[in-house]
Amino acid sequence: METLRVAEAADRVVVTLDRPERRNAIDQRMVDELHEVCEALERDPRILVLTGSDGVFASGADIAELRERTAVDARHAINATIFTRIAELPMPVIAALDGYALGGGAELAYAADFRLGTPRLRVGNPETGLGIIAAAGALWRLPRLVGEPLAKEMVLAGRVLTGEEALAVHLVSDLFEPAELLAGAHALADRIAANDPLATRYTKEVLAAPEADHPRAEREAQAVLFDSPEKHRRMTAFLERRRG
């Protein structure tokens, strides 16, 4: 791949945004390559860890490309489509954020299930200063994550949060020194991977279901899991440990 570095393991895939000459700005090629990653993870579900190269997550969408896009491109929702696909992957997504996570880079982070940061993280949505809106998820994901008052300050007044501020409002769940960030992401992935992958997948699916669908969705997911061999194996092991 030209814009991503991909490292695969049995239970996870680590994808590094790698356009350091553009501070990992998200261009069409990166979007296309992220679709390739999603296609693979939809076939073979594993945890996804997203990070950036050279101390930057993603400085935003590629402004040179963005400047030339038209109303037709806006209606195609190029970035919003890939971010939604990432959010809907079967297994959890962890975004490990260092340096800038701005504009489209922030919206990519908002699509993850977990966000980890560093003290030097700067996250925000300055799109209105460029004459556009944050149209790839920030206007509805961010209020859910941090509440409407702070989200409005970020998307309407251009407030950029530091790592410490992002931690205080739970936009990120933990901070690490830059050299330890990826290790922190792997530690979180280890905790997820220790659980039953099928139960994890159903939990993510039901969490994302509309509220009105929850009773039915929970019943159907639990029905499948109650008959799974892995549920029987894990519960038997638990009972044997308790007896021991």
Side-chain angles (χ1 to χ4, degrees), residues 48-50 57 83-84 86-89 91-97 105-116 141 145 171 204:
L48 173 61
V49 177
L50 289 168
F57 181 65
F83 297 165
T84 295
I86 288 168
E88 292 176 352
L89 285 171
M91 289 292 281
V93 179
I94 302 167
L97 311 173
E107 290 179 299
L108 173 55
Y110 304 155
D113 298 291
F114 302 92
R115 283 159 298 281
L116 307 176
R141 286 194 179 102
L145 293 170
L171 184 56
K204 178 171 177 175

Side-chain angles (χ1 to χ4, degrees), residues 21-115:
E21 74 285 356
R22 293 290 185 269
R23 294 192 293 186
N24 301 330
I26 300 168
D27 66 349
Q28 183 64 60
R29 181 61 184 168
M30 186 179 288
V31 168
D32 293 342
E33 292 181 352
L34 285 169
H35 276 294
E36 292 181 40
V37 169
C38 287
E39 183 178 354
L41 291 175
E42 289 158 356
R43 289 195 311 266
D44 178 16
R46 285 169 286 173
I47 298 162
L48 173 61
V49 177
L50 289 168
T51 191
S53 63
D54 281 19
V56 174
F57 181 65
S59 59
D62 190 300
I63 302 301
E65 279 194 0
L66 207 56
R67 184 184 61 181
E68 303 308 315
R69 288 182 180 170
T70 66
V72 172
D73 297 311
R75 292 187 173 97
H76 284 156
I78 295 167
N79 286 3
T81 299
I82 184 56
F83 297 165
T84 295
R85 191 174 186 181
I86 288 168
E88 292 176 352
L89 285 171
M91 289 292 281
V93 179
I94 302 167
L97 311 173
D98 191 17
Y100 294 120
L102 298 174
E107 290 179 299
L108 173 55
Y110 304 155
D113 298 291
F114 302 92
R115 283 159 298 281

Side-chain angles (χ1 to χ4, degrees), residues 197-212:
L198 185 60
T200 299
R201 288 174 58 183
Y202 272 119
T203 298
K204 178 171 177 175
E205 180 180 310
V206 174
L207 276 169
E211 186 175 346

